[in-house]
Amino acid sequence: MSKCSSSLLATNVHILTFILFAVAKNQGCVFSMVTQKTMLDLEFRSWLLNQPEGETLLRCYQCGRCTSACPVAEIEPSFNPRLFLQKILIGDNSIAEEQLVWNCLTCEQCEVRCPEHVKIPHILILAKVRGLKSGNVPLAALDRARTILSEGRSLPVSSPMLKTSAKMGRPDLGTPAMDQIVAMLADIGIVGKLENVKSVYGGAEDE
Amino acid sequence: MAKTAVVIGAGLAGIQVAQQLTDLGIVVHLIEKESIIGGLSTHLGRVFPTGDCALCLDASTEIFDGQHRRCQYRGLVTEKKNLKLHTMTEIKSITEVDGNFKISIKSQPRYVDLDRCVVCLECIEVCDVKTPDEYGIRGGTRKSIYRPVPQGVPLAPLIDMEHCTKCGKCVEICKVNAIDLEEKESTKTIKADALILATGVEEKIPLDFPGYEYRTSDDIITHAELARLLDPAGSTNGVVTTSSGNNVSEVTMVLCVGSRDLDASEYCSQACCTYSLKHADMLRDRGIDVTICYMDLRVPKSSEHYLTQAREKGVKFLRGKPDRVVIREGKPVTIVEDTQSQKRMQIESDLVVLASPLASLGIENDSITDFFAEYGFAHRVVREGKIYACGTATGPTDIPTSIAEANAVALKVYSDLIGGV
Amino acid sequence: MKKLILCTCNKTLTKWLDFARIEKEVGSTFESIHIHDALCLEEGLTFLDAEVSKDDTVVIGACTSQIIGVPLAERLKSELVSYVPLREHVAWVHKDDQKGATNKALVLLNDAAIHVDFLEPQTAVDIEMEKKVLIVGGGIAGLKVASDLLQLGIEVTLLEPPEFNSKDYLEKNQFMADSSTLKGVVKDLKTTSKGVKKVCGTISKLSGRAGLYSVSLKRDNGKEEEILVGAIIIATNSEHSPPSIAKMCHYGKTNQTLLLSELSTLIAKQTAKESKTIFVTQDPSYHDSSVAGSYLLREVTYAAEKGNTVIVAHSDIHTKDENLYRAARKSGVIFIRGSLEKVSKKKKGLVCRLENTLESQVREFTVDYLVLQTQLKPWSGTRPLADTLGLNLDREGFIKTRYAKMKPVQTSKRGIFIAGNAKTPMNLNDALASASNASLEVFKNLIADGERKGWIPVVDEELCDLCDACVEACPNDALRHEGDLIKHIPMNCEFCGICVSACPTRAIEFQSHSKDSWLTRIESIATKHKKLEGQKPFSLVYACSECANASIDQAGFAGKGYPTGSYVIQFPCAGMVSPIEILKGLVVGAEKIIVAHCPPGGCHHQTGDHLSELVVKFTQDMLKSIGQDPSRVKATYMIAALPNKMQEEVAHRG
């Protein structure tokens, strides 16, 4: 994947994740830490470092300010941004294999407080991308992807919503670049996956 | 003809280099912007690595046997023939003429004649004006004619004209006619062969570091303030109290506030770890619980015993940089991840002490700011044969290193200006 | 004539002291009494000039001698002066008790009147100096000292112990700075120190005194030689030593385990394609200095930049240069906070096991090389050298400085200095500063042309039974047992009087402070006190003239008042106080005796704080054994930063 499309994808995953946390909570997902001994496998780490802004990871000196700043960590003790960084740093790719990282709200509180300007939310997004690539993705996220695939957006927009938006004087949402989005999702194998997985809602959301 | 050197800053390094040079026959003008010498040390009370007084000098050979150190008040810096001390004085400009410096200085009036005052302190007694004490904390006050700290040198008081009502009581009581309320600021030009920057550092007031809401509560303080609380000669008589006057039983210390931080001071301030340990030690002796939030404890070998002592005395160490300190029900709560147990903690305490970075003071003066380099610190030799720097002006460090550097610079200046025997 | 000169300090002391009464009651003790209002001003000094003649003995009751003593002494024609700090020790601390304060002033003035009778002129000391210097160790600091001193026109001999191998010298010093800086500095130093006389050998014996040391050298070629030098500078190096975990890491058993000092050689030999996995570990039992920390960071960065995978097991990363740490992380070094638990040799490499404390998880890494952070220990010849020269060592075996805070290059012995790594591992910048600092001290010592005076101990040959107690006790090697005599070496002497308290036969008399003088003074204080105050209890504070005296002065400045009936007797050093003075105090009726000394490890004469504690402990045991209350005697430190100390100590009497 080219660096450019990865960055674009990251932006979309950003939208994806935005609501995911709440969804996952509602579903009563069990978050647990997978502990395992790993041999040194730096493939994931090298991949991440080569992504745009991925190399900011190296600046981390594990002060833990991100975790103490994180609003998710405040309610979900197992969600620990610093620990994610630590694992990636030492070549443990488990965070890409588990779904805990999907809890990130990308609120960027961690990045604001990071003394070394590590792009933490971005790195977590890259970890999600990695999870997506290897097929490890929460079902709820797949539903979101389904919506994106059909609507071009993570949330379907109804005509009353558009009207309200216009009344408020907000700019027109425009038409999503469907071709590009579909190509990207196909690139990381989401399209194929969607065909094999049933929606947790039994179909696209329909509010 | 005797050579002349100007030393900017009368902190420990500045005094040291000035004394050494005068011992070697060089005339020294020691320029200090505060009313007393000592710089940072006047705030500290007790210092590492020896745990004794901050206001201590390495006495030179002119007056004393060189093996001895002396308190600043008995070091007689003001009595040395070749050492001209200019307090309350700042550099206005520096020009170079024929390889020599012409340094113009401006002195603020002290209103008390240093040569006349016998330090009977009667003037302070009769003064009616009370204002908050810069060296005090928890509501400490001073008069408008005052001595900043008991040991302050010169010993003579000074008048804070901003608060003085010019009632004239002090003038009247002073039998030796040392007080002149109409004294004006004065300027002077000094010719010098060499310039030594000993401008030092100050503990930054931690206002610019989001999260550590220094100003929101008087229970979030800096180490300089804690040192004032711990000082038996301070306004609380050495009792550590909260802003509401209660005795403190739990203290949380936060290290690297704004240090090792790309948004604030990128460098490590070196001394904070050790003075935090020193203070933790003193607090434990008073039966107060201490938690230190650190990332890496950087304690020099010479002060290693503070670390051992702190562990023995039950200081709690927590590795993690707190995100923020918030006030809950009047008490400061520190929110931090204990990275070694991966647990997010909320530590409630009576007092939070922030280790704010030590920032260079020299860069604040426009006429010398160009001599400083990365992060506002200077190289030991700024310009070969002309401009030198020593002490914390070259980067934050501890007293022994500072003193060694001041001595080294003194030798360098001497061999550059005079040469051999 | 015995004269009393009082100062009212701008007429303010009259508020707290009844000068009329003082004048009346001490009238008979002195032949003349003058009361001046500002003795420290020019008018006062002119008055003193005119009033005091060479043969007078003078008691000055004014502010503390610490402030006016030196300027006043310049104008006083007589040397026989005793100061009574009426302002700081009396008026300012007894503000609410005019009668008591005046009584105390009377007691102290009376005591000073007796004190001046015992005073003798100070003895001038021979300060002849040999203007030559011996430097031990030709490393960076040694060369720097040589270059500094040569530039100042001082003759220098550089002694290199035979173990000093100059071949791998730069390599061994790599820990001090990055190699290009280091090479540049060494090149400069070699040029500037050209012409220095180099000798290869060791010191076998030291005699003489500070400023005139005779050093016996044992040359490499077997020849013995004796040279005279004014000062000696020890500039020996630190050495890399394997860490405590070396055995566990199979160091020496496999060539896969190496020391950090060997890493750069390994990397330099590497070709571009041979990327290796290198595991670097700190010694978990060893507190790292910033020098060692910076060294580690530089080395691992270099290894990582060459394309190796580098893992560092560390505790606290200690460096003075945060950017070194940044560079190491940027180069891709993997940092793991934890200590190595187990290393097993497997076919595929060494398997290193540790708990990563930042994720509470045990990790195992299979690596090609295991690199051990070395401990920087003192040069192996330090101890024998220190023994020969009579120097103290610190806990780690480096040469101990005289006083950690302010005397970075002075050793326990006058005229011997240390530079660079002889003190502790240092980075290049600090080592150069330390070397120049030593050069400065030596230079100042050697060009000193002023006079050196002091009251010295005099040994009574009749009483002395040559037990050597004083020789052992003297912290400055100023007393030596030579033949049938205890010989005093004035140039080494610091006039502290510790020898006096050490002597079991009381054979040593200290000029101006004879044993008799203390006993007489203690007795007179008690008598006078009882006369003026009747049954009111009193306590005696035997204060050293440095820190303790300053603390009591500061009690005055800081307004820390305490009850009257507390009398301070100034000793040159608390180490001079012997059980006899303490017991005498109790015998004459003092309720409490406090021996106040400098802070632990901070005695100006090195051992007085410790010795006075011992003396008091001994006295307490003695009191206990005869059924007396030992708590009446106490040793404590007093410093100016604790002006409340005096208040605390004398407040709870009774």
Side-chain angles (χ1 to χ4, degrees):
Chain A
M1 199 196 313
S2 75
K3 283 190 174 185
C4 167
S5 71
S6 144
S7 147
L8 249 171
L9 175 72
T11 327
N12 252 305
V13 179
H14 185 133
I15 309 167
L16 258 176
T17 33
F18 211 78
I19 345 161
L20 236 160
F21 180 72
V23 177
K25 271 281 160 196
N26 287 340
Q27 298 226 311
C29 278
V30 181
F31 294 87
S32 68
M33 285 258 268
V34 183
T35 53
Q36 57 187 8
K37 284 182 191 172
T38 47
M39 303 303 270
L40 202 59
D41 175 10
L42 297 175
E43 193 274 325
F44 172 43
R45 177 182 137 120
S46 321
W47 172 81
L48 197 142
L49 293 179
N50 280 320
Q51 302 308 311
E53 314 246 25
E55 81 284 354
T56 61
L57 170 71
L58 290 183
R59 296 190 199 141
C60 174
Y61 58 77
Q62 292 285 306
C63 69
R65 201 173 182 194
C66 44
T67 302
S68 55
C70 179
V72 180
E74 191 171 347
I75 45 177
E76 179 49 63
S78 61
F79 185 85
N80 187 331
R82 183 207 44 87
L83 192 60
F84 296 151
L85 298 187
Q86 172 71 31
K87 290 198 188 280
I88 303 171
L89 275 168
I90 64 170
D92 178 342
N93 54 11
S94 61
I95 81 149
E97 285 159 11
E98 61 190 62
Q99 296 176 359
L100 192 62
V101 64
W102 287 82
N103 285 4
C104 173
L105 295 175
T106 46
C107 70
E108 299 190 349
Q109 193 61 28
C110 49
E111 190 182 321
V112 168
R113 287 292 167 80
C114 176
E116 289 282 315
H117 297 176
V118 180
K119 302 267 181 201
I120 306 165
H122 189 85
I123 287 163
L124 296 189
I125 285 166
L126 288 170
K128 291 176 202 170
V129 170
R130 183 64 182 208
L132 281 170
K133 280 185 75 141
S134 60
N136 179 29
V137 48
L139 290 179
L142 281 179
D143 270 338
R144 211 43 62 206
R146 215 184 293 275
T147 320
I148 293 172
L149 204 55
S150 60
E151 307 278 331
R153 298 195 169 86
S154 57
L155 270 180
V157 185
S158 61
S159 50
M161 279 166 81
L162 284 173
K163 264 186 212 162
T164 319
S165 175
K167 260 189 223 162
M168 290 166 75
R170 303 188 61 183
D172 185 30
L173 283 174
T175 322
M178 286 305 286
D179 291 354
Q180 225 178 329
I181 290 171
V182 172
M184 272 167 49
L185 290 180
D187 186 25
I188 54 171
I190 287 286
V191 179
K193 193 171 298 283
L194 284 176
E195 284 160 10
N196 306 326
V197 182
K198 265 177 83 183
S199 166
V200 277
Y201 302 106
E205 286 161 77
D206 197 9
E207 280 101 337
Chain B
M1 209 186 86
K3 298 278 185 181
T4 307
V6 166
V7 178
I8 307 174
L12 294 184
I15 299 169
Q16 181 75 16
V17 75
Q19 292 203 115
Q20 295 287 19
L21 288 175
T22 49
D23 281 355
L24 293 165
I26 292 172
V27 176
V28 176
H29 290 269
L30 182 55
I31 316 286
E32 171 57 51
K33 75 173 158 50
E34 299 295 333
S35 59
I36 50 172
I37 61 168
L40 194 56
S41 72
T42 58
H43 291 268
L44 299 181
R46 297 170 73 173
V47 289
F48 62 88
T50 43
D52 49 11
C53 317
L55 293 163
C56 184
L57 298 178
D58 184 15
S60 61
T61 41
E62 184 182 327
I63 298 176
F64 306 105
D65 184 353
Q67 296 289 351
H68 288 268
R69 64 180 198 279
R70 309 218 104 195
C71 312
Q72 286 178 9
Y73 88 94
R74 55 196 200 114
L76 302 179
V77 172
T78 49
E79 299 289 327
K80 302 190 73 167
K81 287 183 202 78
N82 285 336
L83 202 164
K84 314 258 185 296
L85 175 67
H86 307 267
T87 49
M88 307 177 79
T89 300
E90 288 206 71
I91 307 281
K92 292 319 285 179
S93 69
I94 297 175
T95 48
E96 244 183 299
V97 186
D98 304 331
N100 288 328
F101 293 110
K102 265 177 109 173
I103 298 166
S104 85
I105 55 172
K106 186 160 113 185
S107 310
Q108 295 304 317
R110 192 183 187 101
Y111 307 103
V112 177
D113 186 345
L114 295 177
D115 294 331
R116 292 294 305 165
C117 177
V118 299
V119 204
C120 69
L121 310 186
E122 201 65 3
C123 49
I124 301 178
E125 193 75 19
V126 297
C127 180
D128 292 328
V129 188
K130 271 191 179 176
T131 52
D133 181 2
E134 294 83 350
Y135 279 87
I137 181 169
R138 306 281 180 250
T141 57
R142 60 160 173 81
K143 302 286 185 68
S144 81
I145 183 165
Y146 68 109
R147 299 185 62 243
V149 289
Q151 278 206 58
V153 173
L155 295 166
L158 72 147
I159 297 178
D160 160 18
M161 241 342 138
E162 206 181 307
H163 296 100
C164 174
T165 56
K166 293 206 176 184
C167 69
K169 280 187 188 166
C170 53
V171 181
E172 201 179 312
I173 200 92
C174 183
K175 302 285 187 316
V176 290
N177 301 323
I179 302 176
D180 173 11
L181 294 178
E182 302 308 320
E183 192 185 337
K184 295 280 173 291
E185 63 179 33
S186 60
T187 53
K188 199 176 170 182
T189 307
I190 302 166
K191 273 191 193 162
D193 302 288
L195 180 64
I196 298 143
L197 312 168
T199 44
V201 287
E202 65 170 354
E203 190 187 37
K204 252 190 192 168
I205 297 170
L207 286 175
D208 305 332
F209 314 131
Y212 308 117
E213 305 301 334
Y214 174 68
R215 193 151 272 175
T216 56
S217 162
D218 286 341
D219 292 329
I220 305 175
I221 61 173
T222 64
H223 274 284
E225 287 169 327
L226 178 62
R228 301 313 304 147
L229 278 178
L230 286 163
D231 186 352
S235 52
T236 60
N237 290 320
V239 181
V240 185
T241 56
T242 63
S243 54
S244 50
N246 298 326
N247 280 5
V248 165
S249 59
E250 278 167 340
V251 173
T252 304
M253 292 184 183
V254 183
L255 286 173
C256 297
V257 170
S259 285
R260 300 174 69 187
D261 188 334
L262 299 179
D263 288 324
S265 300
E266 288 185 26
Y267 53 89
C268 159
S269 293
Q270 304 292 329
C272 334
C273 284
T274 322
Y275 62 61
S276 296
L277 290 174
K278 173 199 83 180
H279 283 159
D281 196 45
M282 290 163 82
L283 290 168
R284 286 302 296 139
D285 287 344
R286 289 163 164 81
I288 297 168
D289 282 341
V290 184
T291 306
I292 299 182
C293 302
Y294 72 100
M295 295 187 288
D296 292 293
L297 285 173
R298 295 178 173 174
V299 183
K301 284 254 171 207
S302 58
S303 296
E304 208 183 327
H305 53 282
Y306 280 100
L307 191 55
T308 325
Q309 260 170 34
R311 290 199 172 118
E312 278 166 7
K313 289 183 180 175
V315 173
K316 280 170 256 169
F317 289 93
L318 190 156
R319 190 193 175 279
K321 186 174 175 113
D323 170 55
R324 56 191 182 272
V325 182
V326 293
I327 301 292
R328 258 182 229 154
E329 288 162 14
K331 277 189 161 186
V333 178
T334 311
I335 295 162
V336 58
E337 184 208 355
D338 177 2
T339 58
Q340 289 178 305
S341 68
Q342 298 85 44
K343 286 205 176 66
R344 206 169 167 279
M345 324 268 266
Q346 310 210 1
I347 307 167
E348 194 187 271
S349 43
D350 301 310
L351 213 57
V352 168
V353 189
L354 307 176
S356 201
L358 298 174
S360 175
L361 278 169
I363 43 170
E364 286 176 9
N365 185 327
D366 290 339
S367 46
I368 54 170
T369 189
D370 288 347
F371 303 141
F372 294 88
E374 200 185 20
Y375 304 142
F377 295 110
H379 297 292
R380 198 175 290 158
V381 177
V382 180
R383 187 131 57 86
E384 197 64 48
K386 285 280 159 216
I387 308 173
Y388 313 82
C390 64
T392 44
T394 63
T397 186
D398 53 4
I399 294 175
T401 320
S402 220
I403 296 288
E405 189 170 40
N407 288 337
V409 164
L411 184 84
K412 178 100 178 94
V413 174
Y414 176 79
S415 33
D416 286 354
L417 290 189
I418 294 178
V421 239
Chain C
M1 279 218 312
K2 195 190 275 190
K3 291 180 174 165
L4 173 65
I5 297 165
L6 298 170
C7 177
T8 63
C9 195
N10 189 13
K11 290 202 170 52
T12 54
L13 301 188
T14 49
K15 272 202 282 185
W16 306 293
L17 294 172
D18 185 346
F19 277 84
R21 202 182 130 213
I22 293 176
E23 203 172 353
K24 203 174 112 214
E25 295 199 18
V26 291
S28 56
T29 322
F30 296 94
E31 280 142 291
S32 82
I33 300 177
H34 295 277
I35 300 180
H36 202 276
D37 285 339
L39 217 47
C40 58
L41 296 185
E42 192 47 45
E43 49 262 44
L45 296 171
T46 318
F47 161 76
L48 279 180
D49 246 346
E51 180 59 32
V52 178
S53 68
K54 200 169 158 286
D55 306 319
D56 291 336
T57 52
V58 191
V59 170
I60 291 182
C63 53
T64 171
S65 63
Q66 304 296 325
I67 296 173
I68 56 156
V70 173
L72 230 60
E74 278 175 19
R75 303 289 284 269
L76 276 170
K77 293 195 192 77
S78 167
E79 274 185 56
L80 310 179
V81 192
S82 177
Y83 293 91
V84 178
L86 287 184
R87 192 175 73 174
E88 287 81 1
H89 290 204
V90 187
W92 280 357
V93 287
H94 307 310
K95 285 188 174 174
D96 47 7
D97 182 5
Q98 204 214 38
K99 185 160 177 278
T102 309
N103 284 344
K104 178 168 169 182
L106 285 169
V107 173
L108 291 178
L109 290 171
N110 188 58
D111 170 49
I114 296 165
H115 183 202
V116 287
D117 288 343
F118 284 100
L119 288 181
E120 296 164 54
Q122 295 189 326
T123 307
V125 172
D126 166 30
I127 56 159
E128 192 206 331
M129 298 277 181
E130 183 67 39
K131 292 188 174 43
K132 284 181 194 158
V133 176
L134 177 71
I135 304 169
V136 184
I140 287 170
L143 289 178
K144 177 70 181 160
V145 174
S147 134
D148 280 346
L149 290 177
L150 284 175
Q151 208 176 341
L152 294 167
I154 304 261
E155 199 184 319
V156 183
T157 306
L158 193 66
L159 178 74
E160 289 208 320
E163 302 92 319
F164 247 77
N165 189 345
S166 52
K167 248 198 291 176
D168 56 350
Y169 155 75
L170 263 177
E171 211 169 283
K172 277 185 179 163
N173 280 298
Q174 209 65 60
F175 67 89
M176 292 171 78
D178 64 89
S179 54
S180 60
T181 315
L182 199 64
K183 273 184 196 145
V185 167
V186 170
K187 205 178 144 207
D188 282 355
L189 285 177
K190 282 197 170 147
T191 322
T192 48
S193 64
K194 214 165 246 168
V196 66
K197 191 178 154 203
K198 278 193 186 175
V199 178
C200 198
T202 46
I203 298 180
S204 55
K205 204 179 144 229
L206 179 80
S207 53
R209 59 155 172 88
L212 210 62
Y213 278 123
S214 165
V215 187
S216 308
L217 299 179
K218 198 171 167 201
R219 299 280 292 265
D220 251 11
N221 52 20
K223 275 188 195 155
E224 293 260 356
E225 184 185 355
E226 198 152 301
I227 59 169
L228 269 185
V229 291
I232 302 170
I233 295 176
I234 319 281
T236 50
N237 209 347
S238 306
E239 282 183 355
H240 294 284
S241 121
S244 59
I245 53 170
K247 201 175 163 203
M248 180 187 92
C249 297
H250 312 284
Y251 176 68
K253 294 266 162 55
T254 163
N255 52 13
Q256 285 179 293
T257 304
L258 48 144
L259 298 182
L260 187 62
S261 44
E262 296 155 355
L263 179 63
S264 58
T265 325
L266 179 87
I267 304 290
K269 280 189 220 147
Q270 233 176 8
T271 59
K273 281 180 193 162
E274 302 174 296
S275 165
K276 298 281 183 201
T277 306
I278 302 168
F279 191 97
V280 184
T281 176
Q282 284 185 332
D283 185 345
S285 66
Y286 189 66
H287 178 82
D288 232 4
S289 62
S290 74
V291 189
S294 302
Y295 175 47
L296 179 107
L297 290 172
R298 274 195 305 269
E299 296 300 302
V300 295
T301 309
Y302 177 57
E305 278 169 353
K306 287 274 178 165
N308 298 293
T309 302
V310 184
I311 306 153
V312 177
H314 65 94
S315 53
D316 295 314
I317 296 280
H318 191 184
T319 174
K320 277 194 176 178
D321 185 356
E322 188 65 23
N323 285 332
L324 282 179
Y325 189 21
R326 286 199 176 98
R329 298 199 306 268
K330 196 169 177 219
S331 71
V333 173
I334 298 168
F335 286 93
I336 297 189
R337 200 180 167 98
S339 49
L340 202 54
E341 275 166 18
K342 202 179 158 205
V343 181
S344 22
K345 272 197 278 186
K346 295 271 164 64
K347 223 178 189 173
K348 50 196 172 168
L350 292 172
V351 180
C352 303
R353 203 170 100 123
L354 80 166
E355 188 198 339
N356 180 3
T357 59
L358 297 186
E359 49 170 351
S360 300
Q361 178 149 2
V362 175
R363 296 274 179 188
E364 276 184 1
F365 299 92
T366 308
V367 299
D368 302 316
Y369 290 107
L370 173 58
V371 178
L372 312 178
Q373 160 88 305
T374 49
Q375 293 186 358
L376 287 167
K377 288 279 175 67
W379 168 60
S380 53
T382 305
R383 185 168 293 276
L385 179 67
D387 286 347
T388 314
L389 300 182
L391 304 177
N392 297 335
L393 299 180
D394 69 11
R395 215 162 19 93
E396 290 194 69
F398 287 99
I399 294 171
K400 200 176 169 192
T401 55
R402 194 176 186 92
Y403 172 62
K405 186 174 67 181
M406 293 251 155
K407 302 285 177 193
V409 298
Q410 285 87 338
T411 65
S412 49
K413 207 158 175 178
R414 292 170 76 92
I416 303 183
F417 302 86
I418 48 175
N421 279 285
K423 179 191 173 195
T424 188
M426 280 187 195
N427 66 30
L428 182 63
N429 218 12
D430 288 350
L432 292 175
S434 160
S436 288
N437 185 3
S439 313
L440 174 79
E441 293 300 336
V442 168
F443 182 65
K444 273 177 69 182
N445 261 296
L446 294 190
I447 60 161
D449 47 6
E451 55 176 3
R452 190 160 187 270
K453 283 166 86 179
W455 289 309
I456 55 170
V458 181
V459 185
D460 183 333
E461 285 172 41
E462 296 276 301
L463 288 172
C464 174
D465 59 7
L466 294 168
C467 70
D468 282 359
C470 55
V471 178
E472 301 273 317
C474 178
N476 291 302
D477 189 26
L479 288 161
R480 290 193 194 141
H481 187 161
E482 286 177 10
D484 287 347
L485 286 174
I486 297 294
K487 203 181 154 205
H488 181 239
I489 296 125
M491 190 57 193
N492 282 6
C493 184
E494 290 202 338
F495 323 122
C496 63
I498 284 175
C499 48
V500 177
S501 68
C503 179
T505 58
R506 307 285 280 169
I508 303 178
E509 280 289 13
F510 206 75
Q511 288 182 333
S512 294
H513 297 296
S514 62
K515 292 162 301 215
D516 212 24
S517 78
W518 297 125
L519 301 183
T520 319
R521 288 175 63 188
I522 292 164
E523 182 140 13
S524 86
I525 286 177
T527 318
K528 191 81 182 170
H529 171 85
K530 283 175 195 156
K531 199 173 148 202
L532 293 169
E533 297 275 13
Q535 288 307 303
K536 187 179 163 183
F538 70 99
S539 47
L540 296 175
V541 180
Y542 300 163
C544 84
S545 60
E546 303 286 349
C547 296
N549 196 39
S551 175
I552 300 165
D553 280 353
Q554 283 305 312
F557 272 101
K560 305 282 178 192
Y562 45 87
T564 54
S566 42
Y567 304 103
V568 176
I569 303 179
Q570 232 189 79
F571 281 71
C573 171
M576 190 181 182
V577 179
S578 74
I580 305 217
E581 285 86 43
I582 299 174
L583 293 174
K584 177 73 182 178
L586 293 176
V587 167
V588 298
E591 189 189 41
K592 201 168 177 184
I593 312 278
I594 294 145
V595 181
H597 53 78
C598 293
C603 171
H604 289 56
H605 309 287
Q606 306 191 58
T607 55
D609 55 320
H610 175 63
L611 287 176
S612 54
E613 291 279 348
L614 286 182
V615 162
V616 166
K617 177 84 193 6
F618 176 74
T619 317
Q620 284 173 331
D621 289 346
M622 211 151 48
L623 289 173
K624 233 181 284 175
S625 68
I626 55 167
Q628 292 286 319
D629 178 11
S631 70
R632 285 171 67 193
V633 181
K634 187 179 176 186
T636 185
Y637 75 90
M638 290 192 180
I639 54 175
L642 293 175
N644 56 331
K645 214 51 203 230
M646 183 69 179
Q647 197 179 39
E648 279 173 15
E649 294 304 336
V650 298
H652 318 291
R653 290 182 304 125

